[in-house]
Each structure stands twice: as structure tokens, then as C-alpha cells.
Amino acid sequence: MSKNILLINPWIHDFAAYDFWLKPLGLLYLGGLLRANGHEVSYLDCLDPYSPLMLEKGIRAPRRHAHGHGRFFRRVIEKPSCLQSLPRSYCRYGIDPDVFSMELAKYKNTDLVLVTSMMTYWYPGVAEAIRIVRDILPGIPVVLGGKYASLCFDHATAFSGADYVIRGRGEKPVLDLIENLFGETPAFVPPEDNLDALPYPAFDLLRRIDQIPVTTSLGCPYRCSYCSSHLFYKKYLRRDPVLVACEIEHWQKSSGVTDFSFYDDALLVDPEGMIIPLLAEIKRRNLSCRFHCPNGLHVRSIDKDMSRLLFNAGFKTIRFGFETADFQCQKDTGGKVQNDELHSAVIHLKNAGYASADIGVYLLCGIPGQKAADVLQSIDFVLQCGAKPVLAEYSPIPGTKMWPDAVSASIFDIEDEPLYHNNSLLCCRNEDFSYEVYSGIKAKLKGWVY
Ligand code: B12
């Protein structure tokens, strides 16, 4: 017998949050799979920027950009006591809790609630959503999964309020749980290593499709010391590029969407294995898309042909994971890039038609032991190359190679309190690279004209 399953994307509680092509892709993948198993799936999005109930309350709609990014609704809320030292306001991003409760009351016949989680330090929004679910839908089992659940499993078990906390990929565990709870033998269990067997994510459940995130792979062939990708996905798995093009065509034809964001950790590596055949297939099908890469791309793959390919295919938002111009640090953190590679990549990209402001280069800021001079030199190098430096404040992640260094370097108890993983806190700052120095650098960059 089919079950009624409610998917929930919880709130973000943070100092800052911007919808930079942000959607709960993993949760919606599970939605697609549950439907393929005959279940009725519904979706409630605490972050919904288009909520009519919010507008009915007279709240101004958040400003959105035509390419599928923009602001969320937000309310200033009380800052958790352990974050008091940062003199910035703290907000709940998303719809108001009373609107969430009203929406939730429509799902009294729910059999199971699935809640996702992203950043570890967003857990208060997860716990708040689960508290309200308990109140409005008493007795209904609540399952939590996603990044926070995986990276801080013990914390999530103790503090989220969920009945079940699942770490890692959710496909099989969720089907197993449904079997255990309701005696439902799954009709379709996708093979773990075959991403092509997964049904499409349930994007049609969104109130409005303003962009579609796509992932052509799970995991990463690199093992960078600050990153947790390899902890989630032991193997680097890729889809068939032709089937990725089929998915893009499907969403474009069914919803008219033109903006697509890639969530891959390594979209451009081994170009013959993915990006070249994928873009050829998109061209062959005459699809007209805008592509956005909020998650960093690998600089190493950018040559003359790749630059032209990306430009002509409609890659509008490009960000590179460069992290630092310091050779030793590049080597120590994973060796994915070197300075001359960025230099030549920018030349090729500009020759292909990109402007400096289009070429965003992420620089890791505030890693353990980092000196202000390192960040300043990295910024200078990116500017000399003719690209745009984008500061990415380091968020320490349990289980990564850099984690023990972060634990010893941090002035905060990052082991016991995930709120201290917040990138805005710059938790591994030091005397040389203080919060004030960092704020000065950030302000200077903000006023830079490219
Ligand atoms: C795409 C991405 C982004 C996008 C936004 C995506 C989004 N939806 O929020 C952008 C580029 C904006 C982004 C930004 C940042 N990100 Co990011 N991002 C990712 C990335 C690459 C992919 C996430 C994803 O959607 N994967 C694909 C889906 C299919 O997988 P999934 O979500 O894991 O879902 C599966 C399971 O988790 C599970 N599951 C999910 N939900 C549920 C629910 C239930 C009930 C169950 C049972 C299972 C389950 O099943 C799913 C299917 O198998 C991850 C790394 C990674 N490889 O996962 C980092 C990651 C989440 N980001 C990270 C970081 C550090 C950041 C930044 C702080 C970087 C910076 N310094 O600026 C910023 C912060 C943004 C902000 N403050 O707003 C860290 C997490 C840090 C933390 N402490 O939690 C990660 C893990 C990367 C890393 N460095 O290791 N990010």
C-alpha cells in the first residue's frame, strides 16, 4: 500500500544567507525514488521565496534575479548565546513559522516525514522545523538525513528531535526504513553505483521552478584536506552524459526553465568523459540554456577549446576553486591547481569572451595557521591574472584531513558545537589574521571595480 510521505526543506538560521542556486537536490532525489516506488510524495519548503501565504500577510516579496537566484524571506531572531561575540544580526531565512504550521496542517494524513539538512551550523533551523512537525503532526515518524546528519551524526541524534537519523546517501536506508516501519517491500531499489538508474528528482513539487540544479556525478577524484566530498561518496561516480542531456531537455520542455546550476565537485575533470559529450548533446538537441556553477570548477581543465565551449554553451556563472596562490599551501591541501594554470586559464577565458567580473575565483580564507599576507597575496595574484577574487571563509568539517588542525587552531570549541563551523565566524582566525583584518580585506574587495 502506498504511503503518504512529506519532504521538508528546513530553515536556515545564520548571519547571512543568499539563494545562490540553492535547492535541496538530495531530498528531491529521494522524492523521485519514493514516487517510483508508488508512494505519494509532498513537499514543504521552509525557504520558499514565493510563498503566497507570506505575501498575504503583507510581507514584501524577496528580491529575485531572473537567472534563478536571489534573496529569501527573513526575520531577525535571537542569536544563540554561543555566537554573541559576533556583532552581527542573526536571522531565520525563509517563511514564518506560523505559515509553516498552516501549511503543515494540510498534511494530517502523512505517514512519514523526511527532513533534509545542509550546513552543519544550520542545525537550529532543522530542530525548529522538527519541533513544529511534532506539534502539528504528533506521532508521525520523522527521519533526518543530509549533510548535518552525516557529518555530526551524534549531535543530530541528540539534538535534532528526529526519530531516525540517517547518514550518507539516503536511497537504500529510506526504502529499508519504510519496509521496517510499514512492511512495504520496495518495488525498485536502484543499484548504488549506477547514478543513471536513479529517477529524476521531484522538482515538479516546487511551487515555482526558477532554476534546476543538476549533478553529473557524486564525489570527487581529488582529496583536498579541507573538503568532505570523499567522506560522503567513497567512489567517484559519473552519469552517462547523454542521459544528463536527456534530463536537461526533460526539465526545459516540461517547465520551460532555462537556468541550470551544476552541483558537481569535479564537473570539468576528464572533459572527454563528461563536459564535452554533454555539451555536444545539448547543442545537437538545440536546447538554449544558461548554466551556473556556484560550486567551484577546476582551473586545470581550462584551455582554449574548453573556454570557447563553455562560453558558447551559455555558461554564465563561473567560479573556480583556486583557494590560494601559495605554492606550499596548494601542495599541502591537495595539489589540484597551480598559479600558472590560473594565469593561462584566465587568458583563454577572456579570449573566448568572458569579462574579468565573470571569472570568479574562490580563495579560502581563515584556514588554520593562515596569515593575512597569504590572503592578500592570493587576492593580488587573482587580480593580476585579470579575474575576480571571491573570498570563501573556511568552514571546518569533522572527519576531513584538516579537521585536527582546525580543532587545535580554533578559539572556539568546534568539536562540541557545530554552530562554530559557521564560515562567517572565521573560527580559525589568529592574531595575525584577525576578524578586523579580514573585515578590512572584505570591504576593500567589495568596492573593487573590474
Ligand atoms: C552544491 C553545494 C553548495 C551550493 C549550494 C547547494 C545547496 N543546496 O545548499 C553552494 C555553492 C551555494 C554552496 C555553498 C557553500 N558550501 Co556547499 N556544497 C555543495 C555540495 C558540493 C553538494 C551538495 C549537494 O546537493 N549534493 C548532491 C546531493 C544529491 O547529495 P546530498 O545533498 O548529499 O543528498 C544525499 C544525502 O545527503 C542524503 N539525504 C539528503 N537529505 C536527506 C533527507 C533524509 C531524510 C535522508 C534519509 C537522507 C537525505 O540522501 C541524498 C541522496 O543520496 C556539497 C559537497 C558534496 N559533495 O556534497 C558542499 C558542502 C555542503 N558545502 C560546504 C561548504 C563549506 C559551503 C560554504 C560554506 C563554502 C564557503 N566557504 O563559502 C558555502 C556556504 C553557503 C551559504 N552560507 O549559504 C560543505 C559543508 C560545510 C558544513 N560545515 O556543513 C560541503 C559538505 C562541502 C565541503 N567543503 O566539504 N554549497
Side-chain angles (χ1 to χ4, degrees), residues 330-397:
Q330 285 168 348
K331 216 168 126 219
D332 294 345
T333 52
K336 70 175 175 184
V337 68
Q338 287 181 13
N339 288 3
D340 53 338
E341 291 169 319
L342 181 69
H343 192 254
S344 70
V346 175
I347 294 173
H348 291 308
L349 289 162
K350 288 193 148 179
N351 285 339
Y354 287 103
S356 294
D358 298 330
I359 310 167
V361 178
Y362 286 132
L363 294 175
L364 257 180
C365 197
I367 57 174
Q370 193 175 33
K371 297 252 192 292
D374 173 79
V375 177
L376 288 166
Q377 279 157 14
S378 299
I379 291 173
D380 277 350
F381 179 71
V382 173
L383 290 171
Q384 273 165 31
C385 287
K388 177 182 170 181
V390 181
L391 298 185
E393 301 84 2
Y394 170 61
S395 165
I397 307 175

Side-chain angles (χ1 to χ4, degrees), residues 232-259:
F232 299 113
Y233 317 108
K234 303 288 171 233
K235 270 196 221 159
Y236 177 48
L237 298 175
R238 274 188 145 174
R239 296 168 66 185
D240 177 337
V242 175
L243 298 181
V244 178
C246 285
E247 185 189 350
I248 290 174
E249 182 170 34
H250 166 81
W251 294 118
Q252 180 143 98
K253 296 230 157 112
S254 61
S255 70
V257 66
T258 44
D259 289 281

Side-chain angles (χ1 to χ4, degrees), residues 76-352:
V76 174
I77 55 171
E78 202 182 319
K79 212 184 305 180
S81 54
C82 65
L83 296 178
Q84 291 300 333
S85 65
L86 195 65
R88 288 175 63 176
S89 53
Y90 194 73
C91 297
R92 176 196 302 103
Y93 290 86
I95 59 178
D96 287 348
D98 61 328
V99 168
F100 178 60
S101 301
M102 268 190 271
E103 297 273 13
L104 206 51
K106 297 178 194 158
Y107 298 101
K108 293 276 187 198
N109 64 347
T110 296
D111 297 303
L112 186 67
V113 175
L114 302 187
V115 182
T116 192
S117 58
M118 260 306 269
M119 304 301 151
T120 52
Y121 48 87
W122 289 349
Y123 78 82
V126 172
E128 184 179 27
I130 294 177
R131 255 194 326 272
I132 299 177
V133 170
R134 291 249 170 268
D135 192 26
I136 311 274
L137 306 177
I140 295 172
V142 178
V143 191
L144 174 67
K147 301 298 181 212
Y148 158 62
S150 304
L151 292 167
C152 300
F153 180 79
D154 293 339
H155 189 277
T157 305
F159 297 108
S160 69
D163 297 296
Y164 304 94
V165 180
I166 289 177
R167 42 180 148 193
R169 288 184 62 187
E171 288 84 357
K172 191 161 181 317
V174 162
L175 294 175
D176 286 347
L177 184 68
I178 292 175
E179 184 164 19
N180 290 337
L181 288 176
F182 308 111
E184 292 275 328
T185 312
F188 167 59
V189 185
E192 209 176 314
D193 281 0
N194 181 5
L195 300 181
D196 293 320
L198 284 176
Y200 292 161
F203 286 120
D204 53 291
L205 293 173
L206 267 60
R207 191 183 306 282
R208 181 164 151 193
I209 300 181
D210 52 8
Q211 65 99 359
I212 292 275
V214 175
T215 190
T216 70
S217 62
L218 286 181
C220 185
Y222 287 91
R223 293 284 174 273
C224 299
S225 55
Y226 45 80
C227 182
S228 64
S229 184
H230 66 284
L231 301 174
F232 299 113
Y233 317 108
K234 303 288 171 233
K235 270 196 221 159
Y236 177 48
L237 298 175
R238 274 188 145 174
R239 296 168 66 185
D240 177 337
V242 175
L243 298 181
V244 178
C246 285
E247 185 189 350
I248 290 174
E249 182 170 34
H250 166 81
W251 294 118
Q252 180 143 98
K253 296 230 157 112
S254 61
S255 70
V257 66
T258 44
D259 289 281
F260 295 86
S261 54
F262 284 107
Y263 276 13
D264 292 76
D265 285 315
L267 180 67
L268 299 188
V269 302
D270 175 29
E272 288 78 18
M274 181 55 68
I275 197 75
I276 294 175
L278 168 61
L279 296 182
E281 193 58 28
I282 285 175
K283 193 172 173 201
R284 197 184 66 76
R285 291 168 191 232
N286 246 328
L287 303 176
S288 171
C289 307
R290 284 188 294 248
F291 295 112
H292 309 283
C293 303
N295 200 23
L297 297 169
H298 284 92
V299 173
R300 191 160 281 170
S301 321
I302 301 291
D303 57 13
K304 185 175 159 199
D305 292 343
M306 179 64 75
S307 303
R308 287 186 176 168
L309 186 67
L310 296 180
F311 189 80
N312 294 332
F315 276 70
K316 297 291 177 208
T317 311
I318 45 174
R319 293 276 189 277
F320 291 104
F322 182 62
E323 325 307 355
T324 172
D326 181 80
F327 175 72
Q328 194 55 44
C329 189
Q330 285 168 348
K331 216 168 126 219
D332 294 345
T333 52
K336 70 175 175 184
V337 68
Q338 287 181 13
N339 288 3
D340 53 338
E341 291 169 319
L342 181 69
H343 192 254
S344 70
V346 175
I347 294 173
H348 291 308
L349 289 162
K350 288 193 148 179
N351 285 339

